[in-house]
């Protein structure tokens, strides 16, 4: 809604307006080129012909000599802004191992037996389940007057934060009709580019150096990766871990203005919540997805994170928070009472979703939507719908 978007920088309209082509009234057609003389003209090797519009007004008729320059053409770029500078080429990737080449076998998220069984019972699915899925679909397609920023946060590393961010971004791109952005702002080289299958792309720091905060989408698009239809992506950094230049100022000056071109932006930040960059991401977010492992320790870390937010002026995010408990093994979620955790978190206004174990996601390579388990699809749709609903409520 418009009243919640006061923190979004407004682009300067004068910097993006393109005037129609105009013809300068001072320009006059050049005289017709004279016929060449029977005898060759005298060579004048170092003479430079002056511009037509600067010729003296009383200049006499053309004398034998080199042919005059061709007629001046109309400048149809008059009144237009200067053309954008070419995007800087990506720096050469440092030597390393391509993760995709280490995958022995890319398995499906569901076993073959489960897939066959699901196909057999599909006609008999309960009506309330189908209605719930349809309701989620309507919320995912909900129109927005200004772009929504959804932050994906992990209290600790290894929670599956980037995987959840990639899944949710892909769901929005599949069901929405406007643009969707997956923005990686992890200064320590997060896994979002890997999960989306990006290679050798530009970064947010490249875009910041180009100073295109008020440029048009056509000027910005060359810097963005386009992994799926209606989905654009931009990694945060490139290079060795610890050598990144991404900062809170870069996110505020370049990352936030970039989101104005997109209906929904999924921002994947680094592990933790206490850095200045995390605070900038959270303050600019309309909703957040807080990812933790499905263990008692993971649930406790979520409670500590929400307490920290309340103590640092971010308590307004509590009712706009979705907590996702992820399972990294088939038996991990058995140690956590998700129902009890949901009751506790609901008291502060947060919602809870459990994402079960998926064999395809466990491989740790680029995600293939066609190989995800059916339960993973449903969970990703649920997270996306609930996050967008809370972002506009």
């Amino acid at each position: 809604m418009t009243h919640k978007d006061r923190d979004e920088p407004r682009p300067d309209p004068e910097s993006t307006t393109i005037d129609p082509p105009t013809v300068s009234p001072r320009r006059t057609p050049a005289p017709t080129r004279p016929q060449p003389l029977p005898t060759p003209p005298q060579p004048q090797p170092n003479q430079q012909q002056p511009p037509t519009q600067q010729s003296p007004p009383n200049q006499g008729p053309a004398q034998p000599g080199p042919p005059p320059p061709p007629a001046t053409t109309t400048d149809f770029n008059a009144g237009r802004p200067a053309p954008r500078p070419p995007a800087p080429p990506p720096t050469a990737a440092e030597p390393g191992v391509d993760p995709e080449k280490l995958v022995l076998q890319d398995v499906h998220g569901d076993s073959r037996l489960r897939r066959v069984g699901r196909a057999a019972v599909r006609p008999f699915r309960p009506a309330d389940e189908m209605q719930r899925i349809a309701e989620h679909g309507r919320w995912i397609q909900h129109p927005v007057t200004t772009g929504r920023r959804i932050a994906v946060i992990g209290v600790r590393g290894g929670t599956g934060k980037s995987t959840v961010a990639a899944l949710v971004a892909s769901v929005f791109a599949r069901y929405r009709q406007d643009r969707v952005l997956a923005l990686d702002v992890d200064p320590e080289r997060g896994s979002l580019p890997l999960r989306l299958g990006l290679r050798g792309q530009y970064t947010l720091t490249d875009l910041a150096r180009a100073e295109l905060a008020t440029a048009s989408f056509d000027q910005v698009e060359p810097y963005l990766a386009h992994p799926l239809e209606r989905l654009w992506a931009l990694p945060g950094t490139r290079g060795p871990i610890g050598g990144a230049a991404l900062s809170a100022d870069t996110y505020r000056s370049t990352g936030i203005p970039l989101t104005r071109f997109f209906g929904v932006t999924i921002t994947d930040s680094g592990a933790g919540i206490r850095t200045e960059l995390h605070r900038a991401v959270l303050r600019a977010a309309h909703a957040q997805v807080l990812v933790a492992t499905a263990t008692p320790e993971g649930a406790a870390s979520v409670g500590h994170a929400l307490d920290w937010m309340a103590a640092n002026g971010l308590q307004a995010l509590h009712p706009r928070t979705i907590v996702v408990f992820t399972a990294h093994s088939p038996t991990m979620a058995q140690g956590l009472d998700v129902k009890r955790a949901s009751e506790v978190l609901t008291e502060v206004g947060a919602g809870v979703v459990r994402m079960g174990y998926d064999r395809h996601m466990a491989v740790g390579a680029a995600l293939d939507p066609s190989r995800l388990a059916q339960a993973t699809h449903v969970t990703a749709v649920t997270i996306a719908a609930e996050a967008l609903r809370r972002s506009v409520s």
Side-chain angles (χ1 to χ4, degrees):
M1 297 298 177
T2 306
H3 67 278
K4 289 199 177 183
D5 299 327
R6 296 176 182 173
D7 58 344
E8 297 184 32
R10 298 179 179 273
D12 184 3
E14 296 298 329
S15 64
T16 57
T17 302
I18 299 179
D19 297 328
T22 57
V23 180
S24 173
R26 295 194 301 267
R27 295 185 181 276
T28 57
T32 306
R33 179 181 299 186
Q35 298 293 330
L37 298 177
T39 59
Q42 296 297 324
Q44 301 179 14
N46 297 324
Q47 182 176 355
Q48 182 176 0
Q49 185 70 17
T52 303
Q53 61 269 25
Q54 298 179 0
S55 300
N58 298 326
Q59 184 178 3
Q63 299 297 325
T72 304
T73 57
T74 303
D75 182 12
F76 287 100
N77 288 322
R80 294 179 180 270
R84 67 178 186 270
T91 58
E94 66 275 7
V97 179
D98 185 357
E100 297 295 330
K101 296 181 179 179
L102 301 179
V103 178
L104 291 177
Q105 183 180 5
D106 193 0
V107 297
H108 196 282
D110 283 327
S111 64
R112 181 171 299 180
L113 179 61
R114 178 172 295 181
R115 280 176 279 166
V116 172
R118 185 175 63 247
V121 302
R122 185 173 299 165
F124 308 101
R125 298 176 71 176
D128 57 344
E129 180 181 351
M130 299 300 296
Q131 183 178 0
R132 185 170 61 253
I133 294 176
E135 180 67 16
H136 290 330
R138 284 192 292 269
W139 265 112
I140 291 174
Q141 299 174 9
H142 186 80
V144 293
T145 55
T146 54
R148 303 285 93 182
R149 291 186 291 271
I150 300 174
V152 182
I153 304 292
V155 181
R156 298 181 180 180
T159 61
K161 167 186 58 66
S162 297
T163 302
V164 172
L167 286 173
V168 173
S170 300
V171 167
F172 279 123
R174 178 179 179 183
Y175 290 101
R176 294 188 63 83
Q177 299 302 314
D178 49 10
R179 304 186 190 108
V180 177
L181 174 65
L183 180 60
D184 174 28
V185 293
D186 188 342
E188 301 296 335
R189 298 192 63 185
S191 300
L192 184 62
L194 169 65
R195 287 305 205 178
L196 291 177
L198 307 183
R199 294 290 184 273
Q201 302 296 327
Y202 302 102
T203 67
L204 185 61
T205 51
D206 292 330
L207 189 61
R209 295 188 190 102
E211 299 181 352
L212 297 178
T214 59
S216 66
F217 182 72
D218 290 339
Q219 293 173 300
V220 172
E221 188 177 16
Y223 289 82
L224 306 178
H226 197 8
L228 297 174
E229 185 179 3
R230 292 187 294 275
L231 176 62
W232 282 260
L234 184 64
T237 58
R238 185 193 319 110
I241 295 177
L246 184 59
S247 65
D249 290 338
T250 300
Y251 176 72
R252 283 189 287 259
S253 64
T254 306
I256 294 178
L258 176 64
T259 65
R260 72 186 185 275
F261 300 116
F262 302 89
V264 178
T265 296
I266 305 300
T267 306
D268 179 19
S269 63
I273 58 173
R274 299 191 177 188
T275 68
E276 185 61 29
L277 178 57
H278 286 101
R279 297 188 188 197
V281 171
L282 290 174
R283 289 193 179 103
H286 300 101
Q288 73 164 333
V289 178
L290 190 56
V291 185
T293 55
T295 62
E297 182 184 10
S301 67
V302 169
H304 295 324
L306 295 176
D307 291 341
W308 180 88
M309 292 178 190
N312 288 271
L314 296 169
Q315 188 171 3
L317 271 177
H318 285 184
R320 293 183 279 143
T321 297
I322 296 295
V323 178
V324 179
F325 288 114
T326 57
H328 298 284
S329 69
T331 60
M332 174 179 284
Q334 297 177 4
L336 175 66
D337 188 346
V338 178
K339 182 179 179 180
R340 175 56 183 158
S342 301
E343 294 173 354
V344 174
L345 293 172
T346 302
E347 295 177 0
V348 298
V352 176
V353 176
R354 177 186 174 276
M355 176 169 285
Y357 174 74
D358 187 297
R359 301 190 308 170
H360 174 65
M361 293 195 303
V363 172
L367 297 177
D368 182 354
S370 65
R371 289 184 169 272
L372 292 172
Q374 176 65 21
T376 302
H377 277 290
V378 175
T379 303
V381 168
T382 302
I383 297 170
E386 189 64 14
L388 187 59
R389 184 185 71 80
R390 290 174 182 256
S391 74
V392 299
S393 299

